[in-house]
Amino acid sequence: MGWPSYVVPVVGSALVSTLAFFMGVMGYSYFWILIIIALSVTKSYLWKKREKRLLGLRATATRERDVIMAQLQDLPAWVQFPDTERVEWMNKVIHQLWPYIGEYARVFMTDFIIPQVKAQMPSMFKNFKFTKMDMGDIPCRVGGIKVYTTNVGRDRIIVDMDVAYAGDADFTVSCCGFTGGMNNLQFSGKLRAVLKPLLPYPPMVGGVSGSFLEMPVSLYPEIFWFKEM
């Protein structure tokens, strides 16, 4: 409580006592003195009740603020931070592109990943191959996006994205008579994309690189291995 909560009751009681004293000296009836004292007691009671109610409201407001702040931690970044934009339109674009992204992923794995894996493995693992590469029907989602406009070089664009994936991708590999795979992959994290260098001619961007700013939060996928018959 502030200083008025202590000063006002003391000053009020002093004034009532002074008024009652002078009324007694001037010969007024005790009835009026009792009325003044009763009014003073009632006023003090109502004042204390009001202060108690205010304290209760302040405590409730404080708890409510704490609850809201705790809930904000589970909300998307575009809700918590005004400089992070919601990009639902991008999720719609990704949803329509997802089948083509899956097709490109199969080509990329076949033409680039598998040859590099075979080149770095011992000869006994040369028969390594993907027998199934299915990106599934559920695409990843972008929860919010932030484009940096200050303290950034003029030859690049830096974009942070909150990415989450809980899809139905299914990958199966075969090697040395064993078959294994992974599915039910789920993760979320903040992905930073750097577009550089910027060019004065199409396609305006020389390259795109991406990395997670910290280890993504993930659930352990289902991993299985079994011997081929």
Side-chain angles (χ1 to χ4, degrees):
M1 294 186 295
W3 64 268
S5 301
Y6 300 97
V7 174
V8 173
V10 174
V11 174
S13 299
L15 290 176
V16 170
S17 300
T18 303
L19 180 60
F21 172 77
F22 280 107
M23 290 183 69
V25 171
M26 297 175 64
Y28 282 91
S29 172
Y30 287 106
F31 174 76
W32 295 106
I33 297 177
L34 292 176
I35 290 179
I36 292 176
I37 294 176
L39 291 175
S40 175
V41 172
T42 303
K43 181 188 72 65
S44 298
Y45 170 76
L46 294 176
W47 181 272
K48 292 179 180 179
K49 186 176 180 180
R50 172 179 173 273
E51 289 299 315
K52 185 177 180 180
R53 179 172 174 271
L54 286 176
L55 287 176
L57 291 175
R58 291 170 185 169
T60 301
T62 302
R63 289 194 299 269
E64 183 178 4
R65 183 164 56 250
D66 294 338
V67 171
I68 292 175
M69 292 304 297
Q71 292 177 347
L72 278 176
Q73 297 178 359
D74 299 328
L75 294 177
W78 60 268
V79 177
Q80 302 182 51
F81 307 105
D83 56 351
T84 300
E85 301 179 14
R86 185 183 183 187
V87 285
E88 192 60 32
W89 62 268
M90 182 178 292
N91 291 317
K92 295 179 181 179
V93 172
I94 294 175
H95 180 75
Q96 296 188 39
L97 289 176
W98 195 249
Y100 303 95
I101 294 175
E103 184 64 29
Y104 173 75
R106 282 191 289 270
V107 174
F108 181 79
M109 298 289 282
T110 302
D111 295 346
F112 296 96
I113 301 301
I114 293 179
Q116 292 186 18
V117 171
K118 289 183 177 181
Q120 298 180 12
M121 282 188 170
S123 57
M124 61 179 299
F125 296 106
K126 295 298 183 180
N127 60 347
F128 173 86
K129 64 179 180 178
F130 279 91
T131 58
K132 183 178 182 180
M133 290 180 288
D134 185 6
M135 294 293 291
D137 299 323
I138 303 175
C140 65
R141 287 186 56 84
V142 179
I145 187 171
K146 176 181 178 180
V147 180
Y148 290 87
T149 57
T150 58
N151 300 324
V152 179
R154 299 182 60 183
D155 64 333
R156 69 192 61 193
I157 298 175
I158 299 178
V159 182
D160 286 350
M161 296 176 286
D162 294 310
V163 180
Y165 178 74
D168 52 348
D170 189 1
F171 299 94
T172 305
V173 298
S174 175
C175 183
C176 300
F178 289 88
T179 297
M182 179 179 65
N183 51 31
N184 292 334
L185 177 63
Q186 301 181 35
F187 68 87
S188 62
K190 187 176 291 293
L191 178 67
R192 169 164 293 181
V194 181
L195 291 71
K196 71 172 185 178
L198 303 182
L199 306 175
Y201 49 84
M204 304 302 176
V205 177
V208 179
S209 62
S211 61
F212 283 99
L213 296 181
E214 55 188 20
M215 184 66 67
V217 178
S218 62
L219 298 178
Y220 292 104
E222 294 183 6
I223 301 176
F224 58 88
W225 287 95
F226 59 88
K227 177 70 174 178
E228 292 182 349
M229 301 300 294

